[in-house]
Amino acid sequence: MKTKLNRRLLLLIVSLGVMIPFAAPYFTFDPANSRVDIAPGSLRFPLLIAHIAFAFAAMLAGFAQFSGRLRARRPGLHRIAGRVYVASVGAAGLLALPLAGYMEDFSKATGFLALALAWLFTAWKGWRGAVRRDFEAHRIWMLRSFGITLVAVSGRLLVPLLLLTYGLLHGFTLPAGREGMVEAVLNANIWAGLVANFAVVEWVLLKPKKS
């Protein structure tokens, strides 16, 4: 139990360490600080801020929801965390749909769209399991949903590995230059994070429980 708690705490610290520096520039509310180009008068920037805010809320509520201590000692708070999580995923996932339309790279846009749809679907399935009092299905689908929530973290952590993979595939040459390499990696990291997290979550779910 203590080992599991330590792992969850470590994952929370790593997630905050990745997401806070990424999100901070957007909450200056200055489009000049955006990590993507924003056209003057575009709705992209406010949509992006709202998406990031709700995604961050979903991440925090997700960590709270998976706290065994909270679930056992304060079931009411666990239910509140679950409602906040589902509502935040719903808002962030729906906001992601128009944001995908602003992405020029097809691979990145489809990855973002697939991520949003999978996020919405798994959260909905988890919510339905709770409503129907099928708590095993609720646990399984919420674990899958939270795995998708953390793609925002894993996709960024995988960037060094993707850069190395790019180098290996191109014989450690840069046919499109350094900028082309970075762009190619950032266009693929959503897919990489989604596949990696899906594999980890399914491994956890399929792993035999200790008797």
Side-chain angles (χ1 to χ4, degrees):
M1 181 65 71
K2 189 174 181 180
T3 301
K4 187 180 291 187
L5 179 62
N6 290 340
R7 287 175 182 170
R8 191 180 297 121
L9 180 60
L10 178 61
L11 182 57
L12 173 60
I13 292 171
V14 170
S15 299
L16 291 175
V18 170
M19 295 310 299
I20 289 176
F22 166 78
Y26 291 97
F27 293 100
T28 62
F29 302 104
D30 183 355
N33 294 327
S34 172
R35 296 178 184 275
V36 295
D37 294 331
I38 304 293
S42 170
L43 286 175
R44 187 179 189 181
F45 191 63
L47 287 172
L48 198 51
I49 291 175
H51 168 74
I52 292 170
F54 281 115
F56 198 81
M59 186 183 77
L60 295 178
F63 275 109
Q65 187 189 25
F66 281 100
S67 169
R69 184 176 299 179
L70 182 70
R71 190 164 56 246
R73 298 182 181 179
R74 304 292 294 274
L77 285 179
H78 170 74
R79 286 191 290 271
I80 290 172
R83 293 187 185 106
V84 170
Y85 176 79
V86 171
S88 298
V89 169
L94 290 173
L95 286 164
L97 302 181
L99 282 171
Y102 287 101
M103 296 176 178
E104 295 179 357
D105 183 84
F106 180 72
S107 175
K108 188 171 186 177
T110 53
F112 199 66
L113 188 60
L115 179 68
L117 293 174
W119 204 17
L120 290 167
F121 177 74
T122 52
W124 173 70
K125 289 287 286 184
W127 174 77
R128 283 195 70 188
V131 169
R132 295 179 172 184
R133 303 188 70 80
D134 184 350
F135 295 117
E136 180 60 16
H138 169 69
R139 184 189 70 84
I140 289 172
W141 282 104
M142 279 302 183
L143 186 58
R144 286 173 174 151
S145 176
F146 193 55
I148 295 172
T149 300
L150 294 182
V151 168
V153 177
S154 63
R156 289 172 175 85
L157 291 175
L158 285 170
V159 165
L161 179 60
L162 292 173
L163 290 171
L164 177 60
T165 303
Y166 182 97
L168 288 169
L169 291 175
H170 291 89
F172 290 102
T173 62
L174 302 179
R178 189 181 299 273
E179 290 185 1
M181 175 184 68
V182 172
E183 183 180 358
V185 165
L186 294 181
N187 288 336
N189 71 324
I190 294 175
W191 283 113
L194 187 58
V195 170
N197 285 21
F198 178 79
V200 170
V201 168
E202 294 305 312
W203 176 77
V204 170
L205 291 174
L206 294 173
K207 185 173 63 173
K209 294 181 180 179
K210 294 181 180 179
S211 56

